[in-house]
Amino acid sequence: MRIGLDIELKDTPGQLVRALEPVSRLGGNIISIVHIREELTKKGRVPVHLTIDIENDGALERIIKELGERDIWVSKVGEVKKKERMKVILIGHVVDTDLRDTIDRLNEIPGILVADMALSMPNPQQETSALMDIEVSRPEKAKKAISELERIARDKGLAVIKSLGV
Amino acid sequence: MRINLIGFGVIGKGFARALVRKRTWLREKYGFQPEVVSISDVTGTVVSEGGLDLEKTLSSVERTGRVIDCPGAEEMTGLEAIREVDADLVVEVTPTNVDTGEPGLSHMLTAMEAGKHVVTSNKGPLALEFKRLTETAKKNGVHLKFEASAGGAMPLINLANEILSGDEILSIKGILNGTTNYILTRMTKEGTGFESTLREAQELGIAETDPTYDISGSDTAAKLVILTNAIMGKNTTYRDVKIEGINRITPEAIALAKEDGYVIKLVGTVENGELEVAPKLVPMNHPLNVDGTLNVATFQTDLAGEITIVGTGAGAMETNSAILSDILSIFRNSRG
Ligand SMILES: NC(=O)c1ccc[n+]([C@@H]2O[C@H](COP(=O)([O-])OP(=O)(O)OC[C@H]3O[C@@H](n4cnc5c(N)ncnc54)[C@H](OP(=O)(O)O)[C@@H]3O)[C@@H](O)[C@H]2O)c1
């Protein structure tokens, strides 16, 4: 599971390393660290946001306990829902049929975000192929995104290649 | 066991060759001595109550291309042969037609009404009138078997219904057409366009002169319907399938997919009661990623998890592996 941890460090050198050591030692895989030195808390501590992947609750509890023993305060712990990614390919006059509108129509659906796109255009007369990377907040949202894409594709004469499993 | 053979093209001739090749082996291993008592094509029928000399019939038809030119052949239709020539089982291997199911549909119904078992590789009748056919079999106390119709040599129906009979099959996903898989594989490996790759496949004899039935996804759809009905106990028809073919796939789309770790495959899926045939992005390390003319199918089952079978989906000898296995299972069952 993926965990978000808000911790508060003393404002002295070497504190971040001291905080990360038990995390890795107890099997946590550190995904990201956001460390803002300029923004001290009211108590004069440095807030840090950690995202880690960890096998089970037991390991998480031991990490929190060890952090406490090292005078590292844990102010918030929570599971982070992983975003699902879904790839789709569109073939046709993807750009000429108002690509902006295609993306907007998808982004209007709550929980759906077109996160990335790669285009390949052999020449202006021929059809364009586009690989879309769509972020969905929950797996059920993938079906919503697909049915909207299929509606758009019908309107605009595009072919849709979905991922296996949606 | 006495057999009426209806259809003497690639599969019909392959059946005769397989029997010639395995005659002794079948007798020694199973005590099975099949006799083909009639062979029909569009032009006519050859009959021999005591069993035809298959090698002679094969070489005669190879010379002229027509059954009617065989010594002693009559202008008897396949349907008449089924009605008039005494036999226990009909092997129905005439061309597939997904609009009417004919001539296969009439052949199969007539055979079963006459108390004859049917073994077939013909998809059309099953994809259109599955329920009517299976009910006719039941009513007349005969077997209707069609392993060869979906997946060629891959033993999908028997695997699901016999060997995995304690499992519920929750979904089926598969590449069920060798021609389209060949075309997409070549486009992926060579970076070539759809039209030129299709022409290459035609020159090699992998794609038919009229390739519409394969590339439009119709062939995959017919097979998907048969698998859905036979394995999941449904009553779907060809018209229930949402079908998309491969003719719009570009080399650029394949290249974009490849950069991201995917291949594009024409996949038939049945899941949550929905049947679909469409090109899909398949992760490169997925078991469905098989190349060339190979076919593959994955069952998701409630106990065994995922089971995947890879094999040859077509070809004279490969398809007859399934036909022969169906006949032998009927032979074993009817001996009690
Ligand atoms: N080829 C494969 O690898 C393969 C694999 C799996 C399943 N199948 C299925 O198996 C079936 C046979 O395929 P195939 O490749 O053998 O086809 P084919 O080579 O076209 O042969 C069809 C045969 O049926 C005969 N026929 C047509 N209408 C008839 C009628 N009304 N009465 C009697 N005979 C008739 C044809 O006679 P004429 O030659 O005189 O027209 C020909 O001998 C098809 O349904 C196909 O979808 C084929």
Side-chain angles (χ1 to χ4, degrees):
Chain A
M1 59 188 165
R2 181 158 292 184
I3 302 292
L5 279 175
D6 282 336
I7 58 177
E8 296 179 15
L9 310 176
K10 272 199 294 204
D11 192 13
T12 54
Q15 292 299 317
L16 185 58
V17 178
R18 283 189 71 231
L20 297 180
E21 191 277 324
V23 175
S24 338
R25 181 164 37 81
L26 294 167
N29 185 22
I30 298 162
I31 304 297
S32 73
I33 304 168
V34 184
H35 186 196
I36 315 164
R37 301 240 10 202
E38 298 76 49
E39 270 179 36
L40 294 189
T41 65
K42 282 184 206 125
K43 302 223 161 120
R45 290 206 164 215
V46 184
V48 175
H49 182 77
L50 295 182
T51 307
I52 63 174
D53 276 346
I54 190 119
E55 287 287 324
N56 54 51
D57 284 334
L60 180 62
E61 271 166 33
R62 287 176 58 199
I63 289 173
I64 292 170
K65 187 160 161 276
E66 283 216 22
L67 290 174
E69 284 162 6
R70 291 176 177 223
D71 194 22
I72 293 159
W73 301 351
V74 179
S75 53
K76 206 163 129 199
V77 183
E79 193 173 342
V80 182
K81 286 272 172 283
K82 264 192 224 172
K83 292 231 162 73
E84 304 269 331
R85 288 266 173 151
M86 175 177 72
K87 311 278 173 151
V88 178
I89 288 183
L90 297 176
I91 302 170
H93 295 292
V94 180
V95 181
D96 297 347
T97 55
D98 197 349
L99 180 56
R100 185 72 254 167
D101 167 74
T102 303
I103 296 173
D104 286 346
R105 279 169 72 176
L106 288 168
N107 285 347
E108 271 164 26
I109 309 171
I112 290 170
L113 181 73
V114 178
D116 196 8
M117 191 147 177
L119 291 177
S120 178
M121 291 178 259
N123 69 54
Q125 285 79 48
Q126 274 175 291
E127 295 197 315
T128 299
S129 303
L131 178 85
M132 257 192 193
D133 192 346
I134 302 176
E135 215 175 80
V136 293
S137 58
R138 275 178 289 127
E140 311 87 79
K141 290 281 177 189
K143 282 237 178 304
K144 272 233 159 78
I146 288 296
S147 49
E148 180 60 21
L149 249 184
E150 286 181 330
R151 229 181 333 264
I152 296 170
R154 250 192 323 273
D155 295 350
K156 300 187 176 183
L158 309 175
V160 184
I161 305 176
K162 298 176 273 187
S163 292
L164 192 71
V166 289
Chain B
M1 183 181 273
R2 297 153 60 81
I3 296 172
N4 302 125
L5 176 56
I6 313 295
F8 206 51
V10 175
I11 302 299
K13 287 190 203 115
F15 178 65
R17 269 191 215 105
L19 287 190
V20 169
R21 201 162 108 186
K22 304 195 68 129
R23 180 166 291 276
T24 318
W25 185 84
L26 287 169
R27 191 184 57 233
E28 286 171 359
K29 181 150 189 198
Y30 300 108
F32 180 52
Q33 287 172 281
E35 294 295 350
V36 177
V37 292
S38 73
I39 297 178
S40 312
D41 70 2
V42 168
T43 62
T45 300
V46 268
V47 180
S48 166
E49 299 284 341
L52 288 159
D53 182 331
L54 294 176
E55 271 162 292
K56 273 207 186 117
T57 315
L58 275 167
S59 67
S60 164
V61 173
E62 254 141 39
R63 263 196 317 277
T64 73
R66 314 189 315 169
V67 167
I68 193 70
D69 298 328
C70 294
E74 309 166 39
E75 279 186 6
M76 177 192 271
T77 66
L79 206 56
E80 287 164 345
I82 293 169
R83 286 205 191 98
E84 292 162 25
V85 183
D86 185 37
D88 310 295
L89 184 145
V90 170
V91 172
E92 214 291 341
V93 287
T94 66
T96 285
N97 175 327
V98 286
D99 295 320
T100 64
E102 295 297 354
L105 183 60
S106 300
H107 290 156
M108 295 180 199
L109 290 170
T110 306
M112 294 190 286
E113 278 154 11
K116 295 178 177 181
H117 305 297
V118 172
V119 171
T120 187
S121 61
N122 184 348
K123 292 156 278 228
L126 295 157
L128 293 169
E129 298 276 2
F130 190 84
K131 192 156 176 237
R132 184 167 161 208
L133 285 163
T134 47
E135 278 173 0
T136 305
K138 207 184 239 169
K139 207 173 78 201
N140 292 284
V142 294
H143 294 284
L144 165 66
K145 299 199 62 110
F146 43 85
E147 182 69 69
S149 66
M154 291 192 296
L156 300 177
I157 298 170
N158 293 325
L159 172 70
N161 292 352
E162 303 289 332
I163 295 161
L164 293 173
S165 53
D167 280 70
E168 188 184 346
I169 310 292
L170 306 170
S171 75
I172 304 171
K173 296 190 172 111
I175 297 175
L176 302 172
N177 181 276
T179 305
T180 48
N181 201 27
Y182 177 82
I183 293 172
L184 292 175
T185 302
R186 291 293 292 173
M187 287 176 74
T188 307
K189 297 249 148 90
E190 308 297 325
T192 45
F194 173 75
E195 293 296 337
S196 62
T197 315
L198 170 61
R199 269 197 304 279
E200 177 204 274
Q202 285 172 319
E203 276 158 25
L204 289 171
I206 291 170
E208 312 252 339
T209 326
D210 177 5
T212 325
Y213 179 64
D214 290 320
I215 64 176
S216 68
S218 297
D219 177 67
T220 305
K223 292 170 179 166
L224 187 66
V225 166
I226 295 171
L227 293 177
T228 303
N229 292 349
I231 293 174
M232 299 167 111
K234 297 279 193 303
N235 179 28
T236 62
T237 87
Y238 179 74
R239 298 178 187 105
D240 299 320
V241 192
K242 189 169 148 197
I243 310 175
E244 188 74 51
I246 64 161
N247 54 315
R248 286 192 69 181
I249 308 271
T250 59
E252 293 80 23
I254 289 179
L256 285 170
K258 211 167 165 181
E259 279 168 33
D260 238 50
Y262 294 89
V263 288
I264 299 179
K265 296 285 184 189
L266 184 69
V267 183
T269 54
V270 50
E271 202 164 21
N272 305 320
E274 279 173 37
L275 287 84
E276 184 184 29
V277 174
K280 292 271 168 81
L281 293 168
V282 174
M284 276 176 189
N285 59 2
H286 194 281
L288 284 189
N289 180 17
V290 303
D291 278 349
T293 56
L294 277 179
N295 285 23
V296 58
T298 296
F299 298 149
Q300 178 71 44
T301 87
D302 59 350
L303 303 180
E306 272 193 2
I307 297 219
T308 300
I309 290 252
V310 181
T312 310
M317 277 307 143
E318 293 83 351
T319 305
N320 273 293
S321 148
I323 291 178
L324 198 53
S325 123
D326 278 349
I327 294 177
L328 280 165
S329 113
I330 294 174
F331 170 70
R332 282 195 294 263
N333 275 325
S334 51
R335 269 199 319 184

